[in-house]
Amino acid sequence: MTLVGVLVNSPMDQGPCREQLMKNIEQLLKECNKFREHQARECMIQTLEKQLLDRTNAVRELRNQILEANQFLMEAVSSDSEVDNNKSIR
């Protein structure tokens, strides 16, 4: 705030103040960029974890459906065998 006040109140003496203000702004931007990298990393981690969870759930559901289909097929084969056995007995 002091630097901005000097720039506003005495524009003739703004050379050194402008330099100090520019250094402070550059430092602030560097710190913001560091945070952006960290934030981007955290965002990427969350996205990948969600994708992993979604894929894990999809695989689990697919396995359940495969088990159900196999059971259905086994029942169908069993009932076909029983029908064939009944036909051969007659």
Side-chain angles (χ1 to χ4, degrees):
M1 292 302 287
T2 305
L3 292 174
V4 174
V6 170
L7 285 173
V8 171
N9 295 328
S10 56
M12 300 300 275
D13 300 328
Q14 61 181 314
C17 257
R18 179 180 286 173
E19 292 298 320
Q20 184 63 37
L21 185 60
M22 290 302 290
K23 285 180 184 177
N24 288 350
I25 289 173
E26 286 174 6
Q27 183 132 10
L28 178 68
L29 290 174
K30 285 180 184 177
E31 292 299 316
C32 286
N33 286 337
K34 285 180 187 177
F35 178 71
R36 271 191 218 132
E37 289 175 4
H38 175 71
Q39 187 180 23
R41 191 174 322 130
E42 289 299 317
C43 185
M44 180 65 80
I45 289 170
Q46 288 177 354
T47 301
L48 292 173
E49 285 176 345
K50 184 181 182 318
Q51 286 178 354
L52 179 63
L53 183 62
D54 290 345
R55 289 177 181 167
T56 302
N57 290 337
V59 167
R60 184 179 304 119
E61 182 154 338
L62 185 60
R63 285 183 178 155
N64 288 337
Q65 289 178 357
I66 290 171
L67 286 173
E68 289 176 18
N70 284 340
Q71 289 173 352
F72 179 75
L73 290 172
M74 293 298 281
E75 289 172 6
V77 168
S78 303
S79 65
D80 283 347
S81 296
E82 289 175 11
V83 169
D84 288 341
N85 286 339
N86 288 339
K87 285 183 181 178
S88 65
I89 293 176
R90 288 184 187 174

